[in-house]
């Protein structure tokens, strides 16, 4: 399976049809007057949010999307047919950026949401339009105008309420398996998870929230170590992060140093993402003798100087996971209520989203700058186009 979350495409709207130059010619009707019809408008290109898609892979194979041209007008006052619009389906969660101006054109966040990305050309006028009392035989028409053409960059981020952050092997996938129906692969080696996956955490009959499992981070990820930081962008739409920490790593490495390294990488990727509420989730408590658990957990919290909420769980045996998701659900519900009712909270949330967006644009700009430089150096190797290929072996 290939997971592609970035793509560059070209969209081209249709040209407007030209107006027609024609005069009525009929038996017994001399000097029949102008009868050239108008052209049709060119078709426009829209992007439409679709929930059946969850990757941008199709855009790797087809990069050019064109709507139909309008047809020219004809004699006998016949207008040309308008070109059909083209609706291109994109996954919900796709940000659309103009590659040339780096303007964010839209954020497709809803199913069925339509975004106009290339406006069709205007129709040309036929000579019937230019008849006047002083000019009964106008030879004037106007041509249709060109349709818009744009280079677009698409970036997809999964839509989730809670994001899981942590070192490889911390137990992130085990946790999402414990609390949702999602079944990402779990194994006792690092980098088991290579692509983000989502799980719906159900609480009661109608209540739920969405959790995102992303590949683990390691120290130096901002310099490209491990899988780098590219998957962190999938956490930028969440409201809450669980920082999952293995309290008893089999290599006896220090959980505190690990947690600090992750926090550092997070800040290097996005200062705004680092401001998102983060809960410390101490995992694998079952590996410690019962009488050592409290002391160990308290020592980690104290050494980290952790101020926020702390949860102790065993994702494997499900201990503490229910309390964790209940608390997250209460917190999310309260947060949504605040944003609906309190103008200040709403403004804060908007500001945060705007800053995340600005950072995403800056990252896109940096990548495009590198790409352009490389093509100027006549080097066609492009590591941004690298996809993660995953083979599932049962
Ligand atoms: N004893 C114990 N083992 C756990 C617990 N949670 C996870 N594990 C084990 O830890 C190993 C790694 O778990 P994963 O869920 O794959 O870890 P991950 O964080 O998703 O790792 P990556 O996908 O590599 O980033 C597996 O062997 C799990 O069975 C736990 O609570 N207790
Ligand atoms: Mg995993």
């Amino acid at each position: 399976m290939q997971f592609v979350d970035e793509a560059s495409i070209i969209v081209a709207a249709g040209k407007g049809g030209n107006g027609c130059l024609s005069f009525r010619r009929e038996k017994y009707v001399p000097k029949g007057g102008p009868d050239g019809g108008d052209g049709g408008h060119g078709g426009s290109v829209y992007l439409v949010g679709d929930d059946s898609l969850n990757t941008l892979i199709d855009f790797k194979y087809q990069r050019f999307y064109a709507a139909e041209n309008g047809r020219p007008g004809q004699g006998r006052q016949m207008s040309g047919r308008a070109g059909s619009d083209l609706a291109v389906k994109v996954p919900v969660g796709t940000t659309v950026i103009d590659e040339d101006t780096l303007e964010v054109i839209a954020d497709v966040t809803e199913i069925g949401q339509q975004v106009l990305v290339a406006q069709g050309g205007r129709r040309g006028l036929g000579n019937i339009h230019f008849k006047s009392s002083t000019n009964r035989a106008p030879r004037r028409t106007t041509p249709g105008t060109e349709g818009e053409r744009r280079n677009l960059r698409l970036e997809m981020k999964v839509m989730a309420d809670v994001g899981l952050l942590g070192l490889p092997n911390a137990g992130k996938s085990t946790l999402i398996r414990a609390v949702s129906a999602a079944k990402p692969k779990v194994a006792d080696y690092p980098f088991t998870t290579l692509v983000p996956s989502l799980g719906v955490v159900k609480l009661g009959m109608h209540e739920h929230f969405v959790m995102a499992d992303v590949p683990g981070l390691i120290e130096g990820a901002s310099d490209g170590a491990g899988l780098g930081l590219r998957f962190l962008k999938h956490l930028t739409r969440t409201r809450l992060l669980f920082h999952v920490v293995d309290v008893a790593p089999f290599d006896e490495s220090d959980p505190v140093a690990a947690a600090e390294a992750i926090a550092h990488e997070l800040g290097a990727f996005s200062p705004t993402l680092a401001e998102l509420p983060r809960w410390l989730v101490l995992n694998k408590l079952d590996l410690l003798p019962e009488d050592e658990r409290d002391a160990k957990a308290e020592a980690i919290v104290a050494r980290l100087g952790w101020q926020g909420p702390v949860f102790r769980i065993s994702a494997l045996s499900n201990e503490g996971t229910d309390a964790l998701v209940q608390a997250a659900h209460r917190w999310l519900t309260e947060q949504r209520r605040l944003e609906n009712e309190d103008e200040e909270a709403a403004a804060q949330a908007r500001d945060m989203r705007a800053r995340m967006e600005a950072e995403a644009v800056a990252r896109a700009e940096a990548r495009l700058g590198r790409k352009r430089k490389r093509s100027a150096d006549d080097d066609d190797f492009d590591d941004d186009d690298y996809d993660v290929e995953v083979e599932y072996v049962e």
Side-chain angles (χ1 to χ4, degrees):
M1 186 188 86
Q2 263 195 330
F3 178 82
V4 177
D5 53 11
E6 296 171 358
S8 291
I9 62 169
I10 300 165
V11 288
K15 182 181 175 305
N18 293 335
C20 170
L21 174 66
S22 163
F23 292 96
R24 191 168 160 204
R25 301 250 180 274
E26 255 177 75
K27 252 183 179 176
Y28 316 117
V29 190
K31 295 191 178 167
D35 72 352
D38 299 336
H41 288 306
S44 298
V45 183
Y46 294 86
L47 303 185
V48 185
D50 190 287
D51 65 342
S52 64
L53 301 176
N54 54 18
T55 125
L56 295 175
I57 186 139
D58 295 347
F59 299 102
K60 288 280 170 187
Y61 297 108
Q62 191 185 343
R63 304 189 93 131
F64 186 70
Y65 295 84
E68 222 181 11
N69 292 333
R71 306 301 304 272
Q74 290 175 26
R76 298 173 190 242
Q77 306 190 15
M78 285 192 290
S79 305
R81 193 167 61 75
S84 306
D85 291 338
L86 178 68
V88 181
K89 290 181 187 169
V90 296
V92 171
T94 301
T95 305
V96 187
I97 301 172
D98 184 317
E99 260 193 349
D100 299 306
T101 63
L102 289 174
E103 173 205 3
V104 176
I105 300 173
D107 224 1
V108 179
T109 53
E110 275 163 51
I111 300 167
Q113 184 184 338
Q114 282 205 10
V115 180
L116 175 66
V117 286
Q119 172 73 54
R122 293 196 60 78
R123 61 178 189 175
L125 299 177
N127 67 339
I128 42 173
H129 274 274
F130 298 99
K131 189 163 93 174
S132 68
S133 55
T134 53
N135 186 358
R136 304 281 181 84
R139 303 193 63 80
R140 194 173 153 206
T141 62
T142 61
T145 62
E146 292 294 329
E148 258 185 312
R149 187 185 168 100
R150 272 170 141 167
N151 299 311
L152 299 182
R153 174 170 191 82
L154 305 180
E155 294 199 357
M156 189 206 70
K157 298 164 201 123
V158 299
M159 305 285 283
D161 305 295
V162 173
L164 299 181
L165 184 69
L167 279 193
N169 249 357
K172 301 178 295 300
S173 302
T174 308
L175 174 58
I176 208 166
R177 287 174 76 106
V179 298
S180 78
K183 292 291 169 251
K185 186 170 162 184
V186 165
D188 60 356
Y189 52 82
F191 300 116
T192 311
T193 302
L194 295 174
V195 301
S197 67
L198 294 181
V200 177
V201 181
K202 293 199 167 131
L203 302 104
M205 288 278 277
H206 306 293
E207 315 256 295
H208 71 270
F209 66 86
V210 178
M211 194 183 267
D213 179 21
V214 301
L217 276 190
I218 57 173
E219 189 169 0
S222 45
D223 300 320
L227 297 176
L229 295 175
R230 58 191 297 263
F231 291 109
L232 274 185
K233 71 168 176 286
H234 291 289
L235 301 182
T236 58
R237 292 192 198 235
T238 61
R239 289 157 179 272
L240 175 63
L241 300 178
F242 288 173
H243 186 161
V244 183
V245 173
D246 179 347
V247 294
F250 66 90
D251 60 359
E252 296 185 359
S253 56
D254 180 11
V256 173
E260 281 169 344
I262 296 284
H264 176 77
E265 298 302 331
L266 190 64
F269 175 76
S270 156
T272 312
L273 188 58
E275 275 176 41
L276 212 64
R278 216 177 326 145
W279 291 1
L280 186 62
V281 177
L282 301 175
N283 186 32
K284 308 198 188 179
L285 262 288
D286 60 290
L287 290 180
L288 299 175
E290 221 158 309
D291 57 345
E292 286 176 23
R293 291 181 191 172
D294 283 352
K296 180 92 185 182
E298 278 157 23
I300 291 175
V301 171
R303 284 179 56 215
L304 274 175
W306 191 271
Q307 303 290 335
V310 182
F311 291 82
R312 301 176 193 179
I313 66 166
S314 164
L316 197 64
S317 70
N318 257 342
E319 258 168 285
T321 55
D322 199 44
L324 173 64
V325 298
Q326 296 280 357
H329 184 246
R330 276 197 303 278
W331 186 88
L332 288 165
T333 310
E334 175 61 12
Q335 195 61 25
R336 283 196 200 94
R337 189 192 63 77
L338 264 176
E339 281 172 32
N340 281 333
E341 293 174 11
D342 183 78
E343 189 38 48
E344 202 174 316
Q348 251 177 27
R350 277 198 302 275
D351 170 61
M352 198 149 193
R353 275 194 292 273
R355 281 185 290 143
M356 296 264 199
E357 201 69 22
E359 287 175 358
V361 169
R363 281 193 297 272
E365 200 164 15
R367 268 196 309 268
L368 286 171
R370 282 203 303 279
K371 226 180 230 184
R372 283 187 193 132
K373 185 167 174 304
R374 268 202 303 271
S375 46
D377 296 346
D378 206 17
D379 177 358
D380 61 4
F381 175 70
D382 183 358
D383 60 10
D384 292 328
D385 275 349
Y386 128 95
D387 304 321
V388 181
E389 285 199 47
V390 190
E391 249 183 275
Y392 284 102
V393 185
E394 289 300 321

